[in-house]
Each structure stands twice: as C-alpha cells, then as structure tokens.
Amino acid sequence: MPTDRLAPEAAAFYRAHSTFSDPGALGAHYVGLPADPERLAGVARGLAIHRTEGGIYSYDIPADRLHDDAETRYIDDILRIVTGRNDAPLTLQREPEDRFVGVCRDFSLLHCSFLRHAGVPARLRVGFADYFHDDGFHVDHVVTEYWDEERGWLLADAQLTDPVVGDVFKPGFDPLDVPRDRFLVAGAAWQAIRAGEADPASFGFAPGSPLAGEWFVGGYVRLDLAALNKSETLLWDVWGAGADSDAAVTDEIRALYDEVAALTAGPDVPFDAARTLFTGHDGLRTPHTVRSLAPFNGPREVTLRG
C-alpha cells in the first residue's frame, strides 16, 4: 500500500494534459482506447519504433524519418505523423514502416498521454536504465510513472512491452513495474555519484561516449524536474544552469542539483516544493526558447508553444 494517498491537487495536475501530451484536434483518435495502463502501454509501443530498432525489426529506416520524426515535441504532431502513414484505429499495431520513428521519450509521452486521457495520474521520469547493457552501464532513458491506487507511483517502460524487444534485452521484470534499482531517476543517480557510490562515467548515452559523466547526469536532473512539472521537452533541449563537461561543473551547480535531487530522487516527490523550485528558479524553469542540440539536424533555437 502507498504510504500516503495522492493529494487531490497533485492528482488533478497529473491527470490533466500538458502542452506536450495534449492530442488537441487529434483527440478523436482516442475514442475506443482501453483504460488500463498495461494495454495502453501496448498501444503506445505499437505506434512507434525507436531510432535504433531498425535491425531488431529488419526495417531499413529512411534517413528523413530517422532524422526528423524524433524532433517532434508534441503529441498532436506525433499523432498526425502516425495517422498520416496509417489512419487505422490507434489500437492496431502498425508495421514498422507505418510507425513513428522516435526515442524512449516518445513511447513514454504517448503512454502518458493515453493514461491522462483515461483519468490516470501520470508523468514522465527522466533517468538511467541498466537493462540495455550487461556491463553495469546506465543508459539515459525516459519512462512513464503512473499512479496505482493500491501501490502508489509505479514506473512503466512501454518500449519493452513488445516481446520482440523484450527477447533482445531480457530485462527480467514486468515492464509495467520497473524496479527502481534498474531504472534510476536522475536525482537518485546524482545522489549516488555525489556519495561516491557510483562511477559518473557509467551514466550516459553509451559506454565511451563523451555524453556521459557528472555533467550529463546533472542535465538530466534538470530535465526530470521539468518533466515532473509537465514540461516534457526533448532530451537534447538545453537551458539554464548546467555544464557541458565534468570540468565545467562548479560547486554552485552541484549545490543546485543537490537541492533538486533531494526532492526528486524517489517516487514520493513533494508536489508543492517541486512546483515552487521549478517555477521560481531561472536556472531550472523551462524558458520560452530553448537550445536544441538535435543529434542529426544540428543545434538550433526553438520557441516552444504557449
């Protein structure tokens, strides 16, 4: 049983769509969706393919889709792409060539949007998963966190719900109840590093990548706080307080992320405190314009909706 019931204000906040999760005029496609989290995760999985999954599905992803689909920030635009390729009901699992080509954030945002539509409090969590490598490396990842009336906040990884993908990674757990020692929210990863309990180099994009280390984890602490405040940006959208290398991480930056991690390292995030810290700090609050370090299309300034 959860230690506390979800406060009404928090429940209402996480049931309501964000600018990013709102299907808008495409909401008519949600008619007929199931209501339970497991089936909704399967629907999300059946609409998208990860940029790196071409080999798994024996599908040669066209370069334009590989480069452009995952630059799509908002669910209505994702749905527009999906239904433009195949206008069948969303509950029909698409062939790879009809799917949206995205990343972990997109599976989770789809799942989160469906859950909110069904009246289930849901939010994205940004952090690091150890189940994509067997060498102890924690890959940057995004999952959905949803409220279960009996057990409290649970982590769900919609990306793993296709048996084809599950057979490749063999996570050994229920994708609708990801163990919190297998997916570390960014604040928990930050605290482990700061306590000397984890190697900063074991957290990042890939083993040996320059996109790893303390500075990278710090950036994800910022992204996770934003997601908890329903600013579900792309993972490569950057702003505010941070660094671009371990050498550039200052004591001031560490102190700020220590403060954020103290609030966000677990499932029971104090709602009012997380809202106040995010909205009241210029180095944490998502600005109207962000710098997008798009992996394929290159850096550019992007003005967000609303």
Side-chain angles (χ1 to χ4, degrees):
M1 294 290 289
T3 56
D4 294 295
R5 309 312 302 170
L6 189 59
E9 182 183 12
F13 183 76
Y14 291 118
R15 284 191 187 103
H17 280 301
S18 67
T19 301
F20 294 88
S21 73
D22 192 345
L26 279 294
H29 291 279
Y30 284 16
V31 175
L33 284 179
D36 66 279
E38 181 175 7
R39 292 180 64 194
L40 290 173
V43 173
R45 172 70 258 197
L47 299 176
I49 181 173
H50 195 282
R51 278 175 166 173
T52 63
E53 289 179 343
I56 293 175
Y57 288 96
S58 300
Y59 173 52
D60 187 12
I61 301 173
D64 61 328
R65 297 186 182 187
L66 188 70
H67 293 186
D68 297 336
D69 277 20
E71 300 307 315
T72 308
R73 283 172 176 75
Y74 306 101
I75 280 293
D76 60 343
D77 287 335
I78 291 176
L79 294 172
R80 196 167 286 112
I81 290 171
V82 168
T83 57
R85 292 174 184 163
N86 185 331
D87 64 358
L90 298 183
T91 50
L92 178 69
Q93 178 174 295
R94 269 61 171 172
E95 295 298 321
E97 60 268 24
D98 288 337
R99 298 191 192 189
F100 177 84
V101 180
V103 295
C104 53
R105 175 259 187 190
D106 304 309
F107 294 104
S108 297
L109 188 63
L110 279 163
H111 191 206
C112 186
S113 179
F114 297 158
L115 287 164
R116 289 172 179 170
H117 172 76
V120 178
R123 57 202 190 187
L124 265 57
R125 296 306 304 264
V126 181
F128 299 88
D130 74 353
Y131 42 85
F132 294 109
H133 287 268
D134 57 8
D135 58 1
F137 190 82
H138 295 76
V139 177
D140 66 313
H141 198 45
V142 180
V143 300
T144 307
E145 192 170 51
Y146 67 100
W147 181 258
D148 180 273
E149 289 295 336
E150 296 300 321
R151 300 178 59 196
W153 288 110
L154 301 179
L155 298 174
D157 192 339
Q159 189 177 337
L160 295 179
T161 58
D162 188 330
V164 173
V165 175
D167 285 346
V168 171
F169 296 109
K170 298 179 172 59
F173 54 76
D174 179 357
L176 271 290
D177 188 8
V178 179
R180 291 185 182 270
D181 62 347
R182 304 298 307 278
F183 176 87
L184 296 180
V185 295
W190 176 264
Q191 289 184 330
I193 290 169
R194 293 282 281 144
E197 298 169 354
D199 179 2
S202 69
F203 294 86
F205 177 71
S209 168
L211 300 176
E214 183 184 25
W215 73 274
F216 192 83
V217 175
Y220 274 45
V221 172
R222 172 183 51 78
L223 286 171
D224 187 49
L225 178 65
L228 286 164
N229 283 273
K230 299 199 305 188
S231 177
E232 299 121 347
T233 65
L234 301 184
L235 293 178
W236 42 90
D237 288 341
V238 298
W239 68 87
D244 58 6
S245 70
D246 280 353
V249 179
T250 64
D251 288 343
E252 182 180 10
I253 291 172
R254 291 189 180 97
L256 176 61
Y257 287 145
D258 285 347
E259 182 181 2
V260 178
L263 293 177
T264 63
D268 298 318
V269 178
F271 178 71
D272 290 338
R275 292 287 290 148
T276 298
L277 181 59
F278 178 72
T279 59
H281 197 292
D282 290 341
L284 298 172
R285 182 178 60 251
T286 310
H288 192 44
T289 299
V290 298
R291 179 77 166 161
S292 175
L293 305 179
F296 289 103
N297 296 338
R300 64 191 180 102
E301 303 296 314
V302 176
T303 297
L304 303 176
R305 291 182 186 174

